[in-house]
Amino acid sequence: MIPELDADVIRFIENHGWSGASFTPMTSDASSRRYLRLKNFNKSAILMDARDVERSNTKQFCDVAGLLRDHGMSAPAIYAHDLINGLLLLEDFGDQVFARLMESEPRREVDLYRKATDALFHLRTLKPPRTLSIASSEVLTSMLNPFFDEYLNENHKDKTVVSALQTQLRNALDVVDHSKRVVSLRDCHSENLMFLDNRRGFASVGLLDFQDAFICHPAYDLVSLLQDARRCVAPEIEMGMIAHYLSKARDDNESFLSSYRILGVQRNLRILGIFARLARHQDKFSYLALIPRVRNYVQRTLLAAEFEAWRDDLMTLLYAPAEDLERSAHV
């Protein structure tokens, strides 16, 4: 997107008081959204270009942002929006991305994770709105399709084994249908969190990516945070943050931990499928470098007793496509 040549963007910027602003393209995520930082004298804002994204998705971003801010959380304020054309002007949260801070200042890692964990605990006190979809066991099972359709190719599909695994996963995910459900941001990881040094407590955690929010078990976002595909989270930090979360909650610890493990397997299998799809079909081969870390999270989780009956079958499928995916990066 080059604003000088883009009449829609120029018109939107000018209509909302940013005529003459300088701009800097920003790193985008795996979606089709694009971002610019606008600066005009001592003001700054973020332009979200979501013209290639479904309008309903952008509307949900605006709706969820309002819910989060009303609940005392730090979602970016929306200065202006044109939902028909998919353009938004957002509050600029700066450059203190959690992932970068943890890399440059490792001593802050535990404190940042604790702040994020506190934010997730506060989020669970938000009454889930009827406008968000519910992540039932059926929905969570269907979300595994990328793993079976993209991560595995036909050479690795023993239909009997795959069918049995799908049944086991579906049965395991039944736990979410009989548990507490909360608003889940869904992609709560270190590259989607910003540290806001002018705010305190959980409000110092700036939230960026929540347009896919749904209603799910409270462990789902904790898995997103602590089994991060984009950076290694040490097991002792993971366990420490879970303990911190549970110390504030009134959940049955063993039940919560079992749900955490089951949702961890579900989420990470889905991520493997998404990363494989991005590499196979969009030539985004950088995502292949993240696959070993995600596989390791799954392998580590599968050591738990509840996976004993189908651990070996899943482990076989988990590593089967490794060489095939590697070759796709060199085609």
Side-chain angles (χ1 to χ4, degrees), residues 231-274:
R231 70 182 309 273
C232 291
V233 182
E236 56 269 25
I237 291 180
E238 180 184 11
M239 291 299 102
M241 292 305 118
I242 294 172
H244 177 64
Y245 184 95
L246 288 173
S247 72
K248 300 160 73 72
R250 295 182 178 179
D251 300 315
D252 177 81
N253 287 8
E254 287 306 313
S255 176
F256 186 94
L257 288 169
S258 180
S259 298
Y260 178 92
R261 290 189 290 266
I262 291 164
L263 289 168
V265 170
Q266 185 272 349
R267 177 175 167 78
N268 285 312
L269 291 182
R270 173 176 167 78
I271 289 172
L272 289 174
I274 297 296

Side-chain angles (χ1 to χ4, degrees), residues 47-61:
L47 173 75
M48 178 195 288
D49 178 356
R51 286 175 290 183
D52 295 333
V53 177
E54 289 187 17
R55 190 184 306 171
S56 59
N57 196 252
T58 305
K59 182 180 184 305
Q60 178 155 302
F61 176 91

Side-chain angles (χ1 to χ4, degrees), residues 73 109 122 171 189 193 201 217 249 276 284 288 290 294 298 302:
M73 304 187 77
E109 183 179 23
H122 182 71
N171 291 340
H189 56 74
L193 301 175
H217 190 285
K284 295 185 177 182
L288 295 181
L290 305 179
V294 179
V298 177
L302 287 177

Side-chain angles (χ1 to χ4, degrees), residues 134-192:
I134 295 175
S136 64
S137 58
E138 183 178 355
V139 168
L140 291 168
T141 301
S142 70
M143 287 170 63
L144 287 166
N145 289 343
F147 175 76
F148 293 105
D149 296 341
E150 302 288 351
Y151 184 77
L152 303 178
N153 66 22
E154 292 305 319
N155 295 330
H156 307 120
K157 289 184 181 178
D158 181 320
K159 291 184 179 179
T160 302
V161 172
V162 167
S163 178
L165 272 175
Q166 288 172 321
T167 299
Q168 294 278 14
L169 285 161
R170 171 68 172 79
N171 291 340
L173 287 165
D174 276 345
V175 67
V176 304
D177 294 332
H178 309 288
S179 305
K180 178 181 177 65
R181 287 184 172 131
V182 302
V183 174
S184 170
L185 304 177
R186 195 164 160 182
D187 285 306
C188 181
H189 56 74
S190 61
E191 292 188 1
N192 282 338

